[in-house]
Amino acid sequence: MPKSSQGPRDCTGKSLLLQQLRNFRKEASQPLANEASKQVLRGEGMSQDLESLEEMGTLKIRRKRYLRVRGEANKVTSRWLVRSDSQRGSPPLPSHVRHGVDPSRENQKETEDALRSGSAPGPPLNKAAESPRTEESVRELSQKEKQMKEKHRRQRLQEQLERLQPQHSVTGKQPMAEKTPVLFHPETSYLPAVNVLPSADSASGEMHLMTIWLSSCGQVATCGQHSGRFPDTVLTAASTYHALVTWLLSLVSPLKVKGGPSVPFQVLGLQQVWREDGLALYACLIPTDDSPAQNPTKIRKHKAKDDLRGTSIFYQQISTYLSHTWLSSVIWWHGELTSHLQSQLYPLLPEIPVVRLSCITAVNPDPKAVEKAFAMPAGFYWQTVETDEKYFPHSSDIGASTDLDTEVAVVLLFETLLRTPVAVHHTLQLILRAGLDICGLRLLYPQHSVLLSSTDKLPSAYAPEAGKVPPVLALGVRGPNARSALQDIIGPSDPQLARMTDGSSINAIYCRSHAEPLAYLPHTDSRVHRELCLYFGGRACWEEVLLAGVQNPACKYNKTRPQSPVCNRATVDQERADLQDMAPSRPPATLVSTTKGDVIVVVSPAVPPHAYGDVISVCSQRGFTLQGIKQQRLSPKRAIMLSMTASQVAVFCPNKISSATERSSREDLPDEPRLHCLILLLRKENAGHHVPALVRGLMKELAERGLLGELRSSLPPSAELGSAWGIHVAPYTDSLLQTLGGNLSAVPDLGMVPLDLLCRRSYASDPEMEQVVILTLVGKEALKSAGHLLCHILRPGCQKQPPNSEGLDPGFELLSLKWLPRLTRSQAKEVSPFEVGDTCWQRSLNMLMSSPALVCALRRVNAFGVLAETLKKLRLLGDKQRMGTGDLQRVMALTPETAFRQAALFFSDKELVADCTRRPAGKYLPPAGRGARAEGAETRRGHAESLFAYMQAGAQLLCTVLLIKPGVWARSLAKILRKLVLEKFSLVGMKHISLKPDIVLGFLCSEAKQEPAILEAHSSYLTSGSSLVLCLQRENAVKKLVDLLGPEDPTLAHTLDPCLWRAQYGTSSVQNGFYGSGSYHAAVRDTKLFFPEGLCGADCLVLKEEEIENMQRDPVVQPEHGKRRRVVRRETRRQLGSRGTEQQQSLDRPLLDTLCQTTCLILPGITLRGSEHPPCLGLLDQLIGRDFTVTGIRLTVLDKAQAHLVSETLSSEGRSVSAMHSLLDGACLVVAAQRDNAVICFDSLLDSGHRQKQAVQDCMRHLLYPQTEKQAEELLCCLFDSLTSNSFYRLEIQDS
């Protein structure tokens, strides 16, 4: 074995074993007698060598892998020996794998046995069949061993790079941005670097370096120094970057477009790189083919400026061209680009500044400058560059303010796209509009095989037979959902499909054939990482694996991460010492991120609050994280400090009081316009760069949702609805935030909250009334979807839900919003849905105190029930159901008391702003401050509504008017009154009336007044008979009555709910049975119209402010009037059926003349009182059931003289004293009823089985009624001034 003399230390034990095995097979074919002794000696030497190699192997590789490889080698040997013995008829050898046996000694024993068995006679060994197979297995094992060693080495390198990854920005002001992994790939990082310049033969001659300094990704540094307002300067700097990149790409020699302006140079290389001196865009310039500057050493001798003396002709040509050329003059495709962008709603048009190219570019004539910018190998790390943007330090931690949707995407733009400058510029503009950063840009000259490793769909120009491969532009894009956003920008690869699905995409506009793609876009995480490492990452090699791309570990801002437990400390220390020698400074970075900054966004008061969900949603989708939110009135002084123009101040600071003419014409709407703006503090990486796109994105979303109507009405007719009227953005500064009131997340001091405010035990809990509920969203995931959730809550109509029967928007009213970086312990205790004894209680507190939260105050009818149902539906639609503390992402207050306590902890009374213009039930309630009075506080007209007082006191008692139309109430009076009692209405006014045409016009809708035929139908029906008008009182009375009646069309009402009153009693939109006051203002108007004398015992605080008084005495009951009135019989009468059909009946029949009588019944106040079944209802039901016809009814209040007069009329009964006392006990119900023998047989008519009912018996004990016809006539003349049209009698006044 001649090669074994080299020593075992040059290779591993496993490889030496395999070498010995191959030598053994070769020598086995020789005469066994001559080789037996050699094999024995060789086996003994092998045993000694293997023992020493085993000790060496345990220090080099892991024990398990070593034993496994040795075992596989032994198995190969044993299989060959078993086959040899089986051919000779000897028994098979036992297995060599046994516990406690040294593998090296087993190998020696097997070798000796094989030699001895080979000396015995037997059939010859078939080496031709076995030897190739064995050698193939050995080669496979050797190859596998090499692969495992290489894989392990590369894994160690990756771990080493990750330990040295920078943890802070370039100067340590902020932590490293998220989603910035090490640019190392086990395969592509070992490939040759992709060329950033073409081959040397095509790049001969003079080369100069053009530098364009950048303040951040996609932002030219010097362009923002000119005067202008904030987002305009940012847009100008971004537009300058896009214009310069597109212009320089149009000058690349293989891509140069004919027809453009003449330029004395062409571009050879272009890339965006960060170095120690900053972030810049570098371009390699060479002379054009027809340029006279062929000799780089030739110097001009004529007179020139001092700074050009001693320079080459080519450099002088470049300097002269840049100093005399405007940027706008080289962007010759600007008009075509604008036409493409203007097809969108609120487009983000490029703002090309009027600036010379020499002001924004710098050219270095040093030949080494190009080599330094383009020949330096790229590093393995991202770098986070810093901007001048500031952030609020007392909000969430800057390192924790991460966007969960941040992604990095890469796209390769092919020659088919790069040849069209307008297409390149259009792509860059759409990337900016989508809220993405260009984190990397490199013009590359890859080999055809490199491109094929990325994609096999290449344009024909990149085919090998085409000759020289054109360059490609590699773009790294960073931002929220970058991959899907970039895919939307590029569009489907098939141009026909792109034009059908997305006509504004790049492929739809510029792609001509599916076989000639414009770009390649990887989609999966692994492919994106591979392409980033291939085109932007560093390269590793055998000799100097870390010479390029290793972060200097001695840098104070980039400390190493904790070491992996599998690494040896001595090895790591040695590696660190080597790195300090090899990496004295940070290498260039071709991928960069940007530090985070804050901006202040102000939303105009003309944008309705129910659109705030859309505003928050758009901000979240564009990567802005919420750091504060508040509703606040802006004064003109504050608006000016926010850099608003005078025209903006008029929109953002509206006048408080509207004109009297406007109030009178819109009496159903609030008197004052909305005054509060929405102020948001937002944070994002490179925030200022994305402000112009954010503003236009917000306006586009609001316009598509139809939410800019109020903003349009607030502007002058000639003004254009621009984005400046709805959204204003200012960069964050400490002084500006103090101008707006300081920290937007400030909460009331618990020491300033009155104790009695939290100790009240009465709260608004009726689900039929408006309720205030608190919803808390906790955690980054919940805040990311907060805008989408608020859209569901505030505008359920946008989800195509059917409206209710009144056509109202069933959404919530947004009272206030507050963002908190985390909850305090006291706040977490109130928010947590778990009780103190629950197992999840402490864990819920820890989660609530460690996560940001958004607290929402909402109001609507049945708020708790509706919000719980909404959250349940959202979970069923796709939200993941979680157990335990996972349910804390959306926590709502479960009771009115809990909601009140939470509101007191998070909001002050001034921060709870009622939205009268979008309040779902606002038209049914009095204006803010009218009748709403806290205890001990003065009630004054126009005072702002106190939401805390509302939450404690609940809804106010209100009055509304119900008109029962002719033909409906006479036979259904008792049934209708019983329904009103069951709905908790109190009767404070009732009387029958005969409507006149001018009164009918007062409560008809505008649509009915415009149609003469409909107006005539209403007027003739309502004046055809007597109607019954009632004034009803209860909490939320107006809306409750509207809900009971239903739509005016009985057919529609029956479709919605057959139990609606108009569905039961109506036959058509004219004869629909009822009229109810449709709003609070209509209720006040109707009350004054039908009850000018006042109401009976109404207890509404708003009545005094509306100048509606309670009745003190009956204006009808007058001694002199009673003596002048007399009862006369009608010759004919009009009778309406239950459905309103008019019938005239003759009254000359002798039987009716003789038997028909009209009696007068007086029901004292004691019979009218009762929570569920007042006694009077049983009596009225009994009367109608016994064929009595109600011909007159009034609810009245008698004073002492009037009660004495009535009691004197009934004095023959001998109970005048008791009658007088009962008449003075509150309001009395007076009823005129006719029937045959109604007076003289009244007792016998009611003396039946129904009289045994307790309600009727109670009512009969207090009922006052006449015993004779004379008393009946006197009571009728005293208590009524008219009877209904279907009565046999009428009242007339005698001449004195």
Side-chain angles (χ1 to χ4, degrees):
M1 191 171 61
K3 293 185 180 181
S4 63
S5 62
Q6 296 178 0
R9 297 186 180 273
D10 295 337
C11 57
T12 63
K14 183 181 68 174
S15 60
L16 181 60
L17 176 63
L18 295 174
Q19 182 180 3
Q20 298 292 339
L21 181 61
R22 285 194 294 270
N23 294 334
F24 167 74
R25 290 168 183 161
K26 292 180 181 179
E27 296 173 357
S29 59
Q30 298 178 2
L32 297 178
N34 298 332
E35 296 295 333
S37 60
K38 294 183 179 181
Q39 293 293 345
V40 172
L41 293 175
R42 190 177 294 117
E44 293 177 356
M46 181 183 66
S47 176
Q48 296 176 359
D49 292 341
L50 287 177
E51 289 178 357
S52 61
L53 285 174
E54 185 177 358
E55 297 176 357
M56 290 292 294
T58 55
L59 298 176
K60 296 293 183 178
I61 61 176
R62 297 175 181 175
R63 179 70 177 176
K64 292 183 179 180
R65 188 178 63 178
Y66 174 77
L67 294 177
R68 184 173 65 251
V69 174
R70 293 291 302 272
E72 291 176 355
N74 292 334
K75 289 179 182 179
V76 173
T77 307
S78 64
R79 285 196 299 267
W80 183 81
L81 293 175
V82 167
R83 294 191 191 98
S84 301
D85 291 339
S86 62
Q87 292 175 356
R88 290 190 297 266
S90 60
L93 293 175
S95 174
H96 69 279
V97 181
R98 293 193 300 269
H99 295 287
V101 180
D102 189 356
S104 62
R105 299 188 182 275
E106 284 291 323
N107 294 338
Q108 179 182 1
K109 181 177 179 182
E110 289 176 359
T111 304
E112 294 175 352
D113 293 342
L115 292 175
R116 284 195 298 267
S117 63
S119 62
L125 184 66
N126 189 2
K127 295 183 292 182
E130 297 293 339
S131 180
R133 183 179 303 174
T134 304
E135 293 179 358
E136 181 180 358
S137 301
V138 172
R139 285 196 301 270
E140 290 179 358
L141 290 175
S142 178
Q143 184 68 21
K144 184 182 297 185
E145 178 193 10
K146 293 180 181 179
Q147 292 177 356
M148 293 176 63
K149 287 179 59 178
E150 181 65 19
K151 180 179 180 181
H152 179 67
R153 189 180 69 84
R154 296 186 182 188
Q155 288 177 351
R156 288 194 57 206
L157 176 59
Q158 184 173 359
E159 293 174 358
Q160 184 177 353
L161 291 173
E162 291 176 352
R163 290 197 305 271
L164 300 175
Q165 186 176 2
Q167 301 297 303
H168 294 82
S169 57
V170 291
T171 60
K173 293 183 179 180
Q174 290 190 20
M176 191 71 178
E178 66 272 13
K179 303 295 179 68
T180 54
V182 175
L183 298 175
F184 178 83
H185 190 271
E187 296 177 2
T188 59
S189 296
Y190 287 87
L191 297 176
V194 182
N195 295 329
V196 294
L197 293 175
S199 57
D201 54 349
S202 60
S204 60
E206 186 177 0
M207 292 187 294
H208 290 332
L209 180 68
M210 174 183 284
T211 304
I212 302 169
W213 294 107
L214 307 178
S215 60
S216 63
C217 297
Q219 200 88 4
V220 176
T222 58
C223 197
Q225 297 178 357
H226 66 280
S227 60
R229 298 187 179 272
F230 166 61
D232 297 334
T233 59
V234 173
L235 180 58
T236 301
S239 301
T240 303
Y241 174 84
H242 296 162
L244 288 174
V245 169
T246 309
W247 175 58
L248 292 175
L249 287 174
S250 67
L251 300 179
V252 176
S253 178
L255 310 174
K256 192 169 184 181
V257 182
K258 298 181 180 180
S262 178
V263 182
F265 56 86
Q266 57 185 351
V267 176
L268 199 62
L270 180 68
Q271 66 175 353
Q272 177 178 294
V273 180
W274 175 89
R275 299 191 300 182
E276 291 291 348
D277 50 356
L279 179 65
L281 186 67
Y282 297 102
C284 177
L285 308 182
I286 61 174
T288 57
D289 297 336
D290 54 353
S291 175
Q294 298 297 332
N295 185 7
T297 60
K298 183 178 180 180
I299 307 299
R300 296 186 64 178
K301 302 299 183 181
H302 60 78
K303 296 182 179 180
K305 295 182 180 179
D306 296 338
D307 55 352
L308 296 180
R309 294 184 182 275
T311 60
S312 65
I313 298 176
F314 179 49
Y315 177 77
Q316 295 178 17
Q317 289 177 343
I318 296 176
S319 300
T320 303
Y321 177 80
L322 296 179
S323 61
H324 289 81
T325 306
W326 301 91
L327 175 62
S328 57
S329 63
V330 299
I331 312 301
W332 47 270
W333 58 85
H334 183 265
E336 184 181 358
L337 175 63
T338 303
S339 64
H340 286 305
L341 295 175
Q342 283 181 341
S343 61
Q344 303 174 357
L345 188 62
Y346 287 96
L348 184 64
L349 301 177
E351 297 289 340
I352 307 298
V354 182
V355 61
R356 297 185 186 274
L357 292 175
S358 58
C359 298
I360 53 180
T361 61
V363 179
N364 190 345
D366 187 1
K368 296 182 179 180
V370 175
E371 181 180 358
K372 185 178 180 181
F374 287 90
M376 182 69 69
F380 288 98
Y381 299 119
W382 291 67
Q383 290 294 342
T384 300
V385 299
E386 297 168 349
T387 64
D388 297 333
E389 298 172 350
K390 301 178 181 179
Y391 65 92
F392 182 52
H394 301 296
S395 59
S396 61
D397 182 70
I398 192 68
S401 304
T402 58
D403 182 24
L404 300 177
D405 295 334
T406 299
E407 294 178 349
V408 179
V410 61
V411 60
L412 295 182
L413 302 183
F414 295 134
E415 177 261 354
T416 48
L417 179 67
L418 299 179
R419 284 188 178 276
T420 310
V422 64
V424 177
H425 203 159
H426 194 180
T427 303
L428 298 177
Q429 200 71 18
L430 292 181
I431 290 175
L432 175 63
R433 182 181 175 86
L436 305 177
D437 278 328
I438 299 179
C439 58
L441 185 148
R442 302 187 83 186
L443 184 67
L444 301 172
Y445 296 85
Q447 299 293 330
H448 182 261
S449 59
V450 175
L451 290 178
L452 283 180
S453 66
S454 298
T455 176
D456 56 352
K457 297 181 180 179
L458 296 173
S460 58
Y462 293 87
E465 56 272 11
K468 192 174 182 180
V469 178
V472 298
L473 181 67
L475 281 181
V477 177
R478 175 181 174 86
N481 300 309
R483 296 169 196 169
S484 60
L486 197 57
Q487 179 61 54
D488 294 339
I489 292 173
I490 300 299
S493 57
D494 187 353
Q496 295 183 356
L497 178 61
R499 296 183 186 100
M500 294 174 59
T501 57
D502 188 1
S504 60
S505 63
I506 296 299
N507 279 330
I509 300 175
Y510 304 102
C511 187
R512 296 294 175 263
S513 172
H514 187 268
E516 298 290 332
L518 301 180
Y520 161 65
L521 178 65
H523 300 287
T524 61
D525 294 341
S526 59
R527 294 297 299 180
V528 170
H529 181 70
R530 179 192 181 278
E531 306 304 326
L532 288 174
C533 297
L534 177 61
Y535 298 109
F536 295 95
R539 292 296 184 269
C541 56
W542 287 92
E543 292 79 9
E544 41 182 6
V545 294
L546 295 177
L547 286 181
V550 176
Q551 179 67 39
N552 184 7
C555 180
K556 59 180 289 189
Y557 304 115
N558 298 297
K559 299 179 181 180
T560 59
R561 292 182 176 178
Q563 300 175 5
S564 175
V566 300
C567 297
N568 185 279
R569 182 176 297 274
T571 304
V572 173
D573 294 340
Q574 182 63 34
E575 291 172 352
R576 185 178 302 172
D578 296 339
L579 289 173
Q580 291 179 352
D581 297 335
M582 291 188 299
S585 62
R586 288 175 290 188
T590 55
L591 288 177
V592 295
S593 56
T594 312
T595 54
K596 298 179 177 64
D598 291 352
V599 293
I600 298 175
V601 179
V602 184
V603 182
S604 169
V607 177
H610 66 263
Y612 291 169
D614 299 271
V615 173
I616 297 175
S617 178
V618 171
C619 295
S620 299
Q621 291 173 4
R622 292 181 171 270
F624 287 87
T625 58
L626 192 63
Q627 300 296 311
I629 189 169
K630 183 180 182 181
Q631 293 186 81
Q632 182 177 350
R633 286 187 58 188
L634 280 185
S635 63
K637 182 178 179 180
R638 288 177 174 175
I640 293 175
M641 295 189 67
L642 286 167
S643 302
M644 291 188 183
T645 62
S647 56
Q648 282 182 302
V649 171
V651 178
F652 285 81
C653 307
N655 295 327
K656 182 177 180 181
I657 302 176
S658 57
S659 62
T661 305
E662 184 181 0
R663 292 199 304 267
S664 61
S665 62
R666 299 188 304 169
E667 63 171 2
D668 288 350
L669 296 180
D671 296 339
E672 298 179 0
R674 179 168 177 80
L675 307 174
H676 290 74
C677 300
L678 179 67
I679 300 176
L680 301 99
L681 183 63
L682 302 177
R683 179 171 296 171
K684 182 178 170 31
E685 181 180 318
N686 201 10
H689 177 66
H690 299 288
V691 164
L694 173 65
V695 173
R696 286 159 178 81
L698 287 171
M699 294 296 292
K700 178 177 180 291
E701 181 71 15
L702 295 177
E704 290 177 348
R705 299 291 183 182
L707 300 173
L708 296 180
E710 295 184 15
L711 180 60
R712 172 73 269 180
S713 61
S714 63
L715 298 177
S718 58
E720 182 181 356
L721 186 59
S723 57
W725 306 112
I727 308 293
H728 179 77
V729 185
Y732 165 81
T733 59
D734 294 336
S735 59
L736 188 57
L737 186 63
Q738 292 300 323
T739 302
L740 296 175
N743 188 359
L744 302 182
S745 301
V747 297
D749 186 3
L750 291 179
M752 303 300 294
V753 178
L755 293 179
D756 59 343
L757 190 65
L758 299 177
C759 296
R760 292 285 298 270
R761 291 293 182 264
S762 61
Y763 301 95
S765 58
D766 190 350
E768 293 185 353
M769 311 302 165
E770 284 188 324
Q771 298 173 327
V772 176
V773 64
I774 303 298
L775 174 64
T776 306
L777 307 177
V778 183
K780 293 182 179 179
E781 293 183 4
L783 292 184
K784 187 68 179 180
S785 59
H788 180 67
L789 176 62
L790 287 176
C791 289
H792 278 274
I793 294 175
L794 302 179
R795 293 193 303 109
C798 67
Q799 309 301 326
K800 298 182 180 180
Q801 295 181 359
N804 56 9
S805 59
E806 295 81 28
L808 294 175
D809 180 11
F812 282 79
E813 173 193 2
L814 181 63
L815 300 177
S816 188
L817 293 167
K818 180 159 291 186
W819 178 89
L820 299 171
R822 63 190 59 85
L823 299 183
T824 63
R825 188 171 185 84
S826 58
Q827 294 168 349
K829 288 180 179 180
E830 289 291 341
V831 172
S832 176
F834 302 101
E835 298 295 335
V836 177
D838 294 342
T839 57
C840 296
W841 183 72
Q842 186 60 44
R843 284 186 295 169
S844 68
L845 296 186
N846 296 335
M847 179 178 177
L848 292 172
M849 292 188 296
S850 61
S851 304
L854 179 65
V855 185
C856 314
L858 308 165
R859 178 168 64 175
R860 67 156 292 157
V861 176
N862 191 20
F864 293 91
V866 174
L867 183 58
E869 185 67 22
T870 301
L871 296 179
K872 180 180 178 181
K873 289 181 179 179
L874 290 178
R875 293 191 190 101
L876 296 177
L877 288 176
D879 290 359
K880 294 182 179 180
Q881 189 76 15
R882 300 180 180 179
M883 302 299 293
T885 56
D887 295 332
L888 294 176
Q889 290 189 357
R890 298 170 180 174
V891 184
M892 61 168 288
L894 300 178
T895 63
E897 179 181 0
T898 306
F900 179 82
R901 297 177 66 88
Q902 292 181 10
L905 289 177
F906 294 119
F907 303 102
S908 64
D909 205 355
K910 186 182 297 185
E911 291 175 328
L912 295 174
V913 182
D915 180 19
C916 299
T917 59
R918 296 294 176 177
R919 192 171 178 181
K923 62 182 294 187
Y924 305 106
L925 300 173
R930 187 167 299 179
R933 179 179 60 187
E935 292 185 1
E938 294 185 1
T939 302
R940 56 190 179 93
R941 195 176 185 90
H943 182 68
E945 180 184 13
S946 173
L947 270 299
F948 285 107
Y950 172 84
M951 294 175 69
Q952 288 186 319
Q956 307 174 51
L957 288 174
L958 300 178
C959 292
T960 187
V961 172
L962 173 65
L963 179 70
I964 307 177
K965 296 183 179 181
V968 178
W969 65 274
R971 305 296 300 178
S972 305
L973 177 60
K975 184 177 180 181
I976 294 174
L977 293 178
R978 183 173 286 107
K979 289 183 177 181
L980 292 172
V981 171
L982 292 177
E983 297 295 341
K984 301 179 182 180
F985 282 97
S986 298
L987 194 63
V988 294
M990 180 169 61
K991 62 181 177 180
H992 67 274
I993 58 172
S994 296
L995 296 176
K996 297 180 180 179
D998 57 339
I999 298 179
V1000 171
L1001 293 175
F1003 52 81
L1004 289 180
C1005 60
S1006 58
E1007 291 80 3
K1009 294 178 183 179
Q1010 295 176 358
E1011 295 290 339
I1014 298 178
L1015 178 61
E1016 178 62 25
H1018 279 283
S1019 180
S1020 60
Y1021 169 61
L1022 293 175
T1023 57
S1024 63
S1026 298
S1027 302
L1028 182 66
V1029 58
L1030 299 88
C1031 187
L1032 307 172
Q1033 174 184 274
R1034 65 156 281 172
E1035 294 177 344
N1036 200 19
V1038 182
K1039 184 179 185 302
K1040 182 61 179 178
L1041 181 60
V1042 171
D1043 292 340
L1044 290 175
L1045 297 182
E1048 293 188 359
D1049 188 357
T1051 304
L1052 178 59
H1054 190 275
T1055 303
L1056 295 176
D1057 187 358
C1059 296
L1060 295 174
W1061 289 13
R1062 287 188 173 122
Q1064 297 180 24
Y1065 296 97
T1067 59
S1068 65
S1069 58
V1070 175
Q1071 299 180 10
N1072 54 14
F1074 302 94
Y1075 161 79
S1077 300
S1079 65
Y1080 170 79
H1081 293 279
V1084 172
R1085 179 202 63 197
D1086 296 340
T1087 302
K1088 293 181 178 180
L1089 175 64
F1090 295 116
F1091 300 96
E1093 67 279 3
L1095 302 177
C1096 302
D1099 189 20
C1100 295
L1101 295 177
V1102 296
L1103 291 179
K1104 291 183 180 180
E1105 296 187 10
E1106 301 295 351
E1107 300 177 353
I1108 299 175
E1109 301 292 338
N1110 277 329
M1111 186 189 303
Q1112 301 299 325
R1113 61 191 310 271
D1114 193 341
V1116 178
V1117 181
Q1118 300 290 343
E1120 60 276 9
H1121 292 173
K1123 294 179 181 180
R1124 295 177 55 190
R1125 298 192 190 100
R1126 67 188 183 97
V1127 179
V1128 297
R1129 190 178 300 276
R1130 298 178 188 268
E1131 295 181 358
T1132 59
R1133 68 186 179 97
R1134 290 180 296 179
Q1135 181 179 357
L1136 294 178
S1138 62
R1139 294 298 182 178
T1141 304
E1142 182 177 336
Q1143 300 175 357
Q1144 289 191 357
Q1145 296 185 357
S1146 175
L1147 300 181
D1148 57 351
R1149 289 175 293 178
L1151 182 60
L1152 293 178
D1153 289 344
T1154 304
L1155 301 178
C1156 185
Q1157 297 176 345
T1158 300
T1159 186
C1160 184
L1161 308 178
I1162 303 176
L1163 285 75
I1166 192 173
T1167 65
L1168 304 179
R1169 292 188 289 270
S1171 59
E1172 294 184 359
H1173 303 287
C1176 65
L1177 297 183
L1179 179 60
L1180 290 176
D1181 196 10
Q1182 179 70 7
L1183 290 174
I1184 296 174
R1186 301 301 295 173
D1187 293 331
F1188 278 88
T1189 300
V1190 178
T1191 59
I1193 188 169
R1194 294 180 62 241
L1195 186 66
T1196 184
V1197 174
L1198 303 177
D1199 61 4
K1200 188 174 183 180
Q1202 294 172 338
H1204 179 72
L1205 176 62
V1206 174
S1207 61
E1208 286 296 328
T1209 305
L1210 301 172
S1211 60
S1212 60
E1213 288 294 299
R1215 46 176 182 163
S1216 59
V1217 177
S1218 61
M1220 185 173 178
H1221 284 294
S1222 62
L1223 291 175
L1224 294 176
D1225 185 17
C1228 301
L1229 181 61
V1230 182
V1231 179
Q1234 74 177 12
R1235 189 191 187 280
D1236 52 325
N1237 299 322
V1239 177
I1240 60 177
C1241 299
F1242 182 77
D1243 291 333
S1244 60
L1245 290 174
L1246 294 182
D1247 188 10
S1248 62
H1250 297 284
R1251 177 133 179 218
Q1252 296 177 0
K1253 292 182 178 180
Q1254 186 63 36
V1256 178
Q1257 293 177 6
D1258 294 341
C1259 186
M1260 289 298 296
R1261 284 198 299 267
H1262 303 282
L1263 179 64
L1264 302 177
Y1265 56 93
Q1267 297 294 325
T1268 63
E1269 291 189 55
K1270 181 179 179 181
Q1271 291 179 354
E1273 291 184 3
E1274 290 178 357
L1275 287 176
L1276 289 173
C1277 294
C1278 178
L1279 297 175
F1280 290 95
D1281 57 358
S1282 65
L1283 297 177
T1284 62
S1285 58
N1286 60 346
S1287 173
F1288 283 95
Y1289 302 93
R1290 60 183 178 86
L1291 297 177
E1292 65 178 21
I1293 299 178
Q1294 299 178 357
D1295 296 334
S1296 57

